[in-house]
Amino acid sequence: MSTDAQSGENGGVEPEPKESEGPPMPQPTSETPNYDGEFDAIVVGAGLAGSAAALTMAEEGLDVIMLERGNAPGTKNVFGGIMFTPRIRELTDFDDAPKERFVAEKTFSMLSEEGDATEVSMQPAAWKEEPHNDSWMVLRGDFDEWFAEQAVEAGATLLTETTVTDLVREDGTIAGVETDRPDGRLHAPTVVLAEGANSLVSEGAGLAKPQERKDIAVSAKEVRKYDREKIEDRFHLTDEEGAAMHYFGDGAVGDAVGGGFIYTNKRTLAIGVVYSIEDAVHDDRTPDDVLDDFKSHPAVAPLVKGGRMVEYSAHAIPEGGPDAMPDLVHDGAVITGDAAGLVLNNGLHLEGTNMAVESGYHAGKAVADAVAAGRTDAAALADYEDDLSESWVMDNLNHYGWFLDAAAEDKEFLFDDLPRAIADAETDYFRMNDEPKTRHTKSARKRLVGAMGGYLGAAKKAWKYRKMFI
Amino acid sequence: MSTQPGTPDVEQPSIEDRLYTVKYEDPGESHLDVELAGICEEKCVTQDCVSVCPANVWRMEGDDGVPTIAYENCLECGSCRWACAHGNVVWEYPENGSGVSYKFG
């Protein structure tokens, strides 16, 4: 693993490096070759996209090095909680992967600020059968380390505690990376940028523009530990079954485009909020306050009460869709995963892990072909973008690209008026008193139609959101 | 939100208790800064860096309008970088993998 290269050196007569400078780039010795110029490809970041790319390239016979800034893969990574695994299952012996629970139940709840809740629960029997719709709760600390190990076992080299600070250009082409290690420049004909949402390298090198804050969401999350039995009782789970609970409305994250979530791991719950930075800057509450309010909602508190907080985390999520994506292919470099903005949020589908892996896989294939052909300019790497465009990744992103703008436009309706009207309609429709049910129904209908802006308004909204269902 | 009768109490940890759960190695110097203090002083009235930060890194403690930066609180989410309407946040990765290390993620 990562430390092999270092221990080869530090185990010898070399003095320990000064801590403030970090370990130097491994120097050429009998145990460690000179890394500079020795690799066909440098992968920036050993997360999902990076490890998928490295694994794919290593299996194609390329010499690959992954540079990871964390002290192990996964230590800098945060996600909501679900790994979507169709491609990983093909690329690895997935039975060995460290997993928590599969998604046996998905719920979507609308919460009002006043404490109302309306929940839809889905538990298709098919999800209980392998491969469990390729939807697993995992812990990224475990999972990302395992996935990077698969790339290393396939022949890739992993170097941790190494931050890429810039790209090296020669004759206008990207020809390697600068790192924060002494003598840390590495040359290679291709660089796969898999640096995540906070894509400082891509931006710094002019390959990507800074995202607008309306296109980025901030997330704050608490992981809480409970007895395994308590989690299974509370969420009605057995064995490896898990529940993925999603919450919308102003009872979840206030008057903001976003939502809250609870995901069940074996012995922990991941409880979090995600909402647009554009909304966050206009909220009196900071994300940790929003998380507290979400946890305190009457429909949420009984599910998360007790336990012991074992980790608090925060992360940013690029949600700008196709319009906010950078050019994926450059002379000598490709951009993948979160750095490429490959996240889908259409309110119901909340996906990024699958697209990170898929993009890493296609990037790896394209780089391998380009290296084999002896050319790594943008034209030679174009297969990456073409393959991704023809895949479900861009198909899905393009199909739902309109959603978050529409949601921002209809924010008050979707997250405030609608949860209120639905709760009031429920109250009316099921009311117990001496009035006839026809009057209750009429009253409930009026609530809903009124919130929609009349029948014409309802028809307009149905048309506006039609792509959710076609 | 007003607490409903019958809603159980949930722990609402202080930000200090929250940050205490995260393994952290101090890089020794701040990886965050403001580009030009004058922009904070004269142009900024909204302090978006403070509003967005989930870790209480950015604080308005003085009265000159320039935020103080508790960089050792930083969870490296990067939100402040996008939040600042003036593009005035300087953000670098803490060196050699220092900063936060998540166990669960």
Side-chain angles (χ1 to χ4, degrees), chain A residues 205-286:
Chain A
L207 307 189
K209 281 184 295 194
Q211 299 278 351
E212 290 176 49
R213 65 189 188 183
K214 72 171 176 62
D215 291 332
I216 303 267
V218 58
S219 171
K221 173 174 121 169
E222 225 173 80
V223 178
R224 299 186 70 83
K225 196 169 188 342
Y226 304 79
D227 291 340
R228 185 172 183 153
E229 206 173 52
K230 182 161 271 181
I231 290 179
E232 292 177 352
D233 287 351
R234 218 174 255 190
F235 293 87
H236 315 143
L237 308 171
T238 53
D239 300 327
E240 283 191 293
E241 291 173 8
M245 328 274 289
H246 309 91
Y247 298 87
F248 306 96
D250 58 358
V253 290
D255 190 15
V257 176
F261 60 83
I262 305 172
Y263 297 124
T264 58
N265 298 318
K266 280 181 192 147
R267 292 174 187 81
T268 56
L269 297 179
I271 308 151
V273 291
V274 185
Y275 57 114
S276 156
I277 287 182
E278 182 62 46
D279 293 327
V281 301
H282 294 116
D283 195 323
D284 294 340
R285 302 170 301 166
T286 52

Side-chain angles (χ1 to χ4, degrees), chain A residues 77-141:
Chain A
N77 299 353
V78 177
F79 79 151
I82 305 182
M83 187 72 62
F84 298 108
T85 57
R87 181 65 72 183
I88 291 192
R89 199 156 50 77
E90 281 180 22
L91 294 176
T92 64
D93 294 324
F94 190 63
D95 287 347
D96 302 337
K99 304 185 276 288
E100 293 285 307
R101 294 175 183 275
F102 66 81
V103 177
E105 178 185 16
K106 249 184 222 280
T107 73
F108 294 92
S109 300
M110 198 164 253
L111 306 181
S112 83
E113 204 176 3
E114 296 80 18
D116 310 276
T118 302
E119 178 173 288
V120 176
S121 160
M122 285 160 264
Q123 304 173 56
W127 292 355
K128 296 193 180 179
E129 287 159 28
E130 289 191 0
H132 302 299
N133 196 33
D134 277 307
S135 306
W136 289 87
M137 288 110 186
V138 309
L139 304 177
R140 293 292 295 277

Side-chain angles (χ1 to χ4, degrees), chain B residues 23-46:
Chain B
K23 198 175 150 208
Y24 178 76
E25 189 193 332
D26 192 339
E29 59 179 338
S30 180
H31 62 291
L32 308 170
D33 202 353
V34 296
E35 187 84 47
L36 294 168
I39 289 180
C40 304
E41 283 172 309
E42 283 156 34
K43 295 222 168 123
C44 179
V45 290
T46 51

Side-chain angles (χ1 to χ4, degrees), chain A residues 21 69 71 75-76 79 113-114 140 180 198 203 213 218 222 224 287 292 295-296 298 311-313, chain B residues 1 4 11-12 18 21-22 48 52 54 76 79 81-83 93 96-98 100-105:
Chain A
E21 289 178 2
R69 72 186 181 94
N71 53 33
T75 57
K76 298 287 187 183
F79 79 151
E113 204 176 3
E114 296 80 18
R140 293 292 295 277
D180 61 354
N198 197 4
E203 282 180 39
R213 65 189 188 183
V218 58
E222 225 173 80
R224 299 186 70 83
D292 280 340
K295 282 166 58 189
S296 306
E311 190 166 272
Y312 174 65
S313 55
Chain B
M1 188 187 320
Q4 302 269 312
E11 189 193 10
Q12 303 205 335
R18 282 191 159 130
T21 63
V22 187
D48 294 338
V52 81
E76 296 164 37
S79 298
R81 202 162 73 81
W82 294 288
Y93 283 120
N96 303 116
S98 61
V100 292
S101 282
Y102 291 118
K103 183 167 180 284
F104 294 88

Side-chain angles (χ1 to χ4, degrees), chain A residues 156-238:
Chain A
T157 300
L158 170 66
L159 197 59
T160 56
E161 297 181 10
T162 305
T163 309
V164 171
T165 54
D166 203 356
L167 299 179
V168 175
R169 276 180 205 269
E170 281 170 10
D171 305 324
T173 292
I174 292 154
V177 300
E178 298 281 1
T179 74
D180 61 354
R181 295 204 180 210
D183 304 317
R185 177 180 289 200
L186 283 183
H187 288 84
T190 46
V191 175
V192 177
L193 289 154
E195 52 178 328
N198 197 4
S199 53
L200 297 173
V201 181
S202 304
E203 282 180 39
L207 307 189
K209 281 184 295 194
Q211 299 278 351
E212 290 176 49
R213 65 189 188 183
K214 72 171 176 62
D215 291 332
I216 303 267
V218 58
S219 171
K221 173 174 121 169
E222 225 173 80
V223 178
R224 299 186 70 83
K225 196 169 188 342
Y226 304 79
D227 291 340
R228 185 172 183 153
E229 206 173 52
K230 182 161 271 181
I231 290 179
E232 292 177 352
D233 287 351
R234 218 174 255 190
F235 293 87
H236 315 143
L237 308 171
T238 53

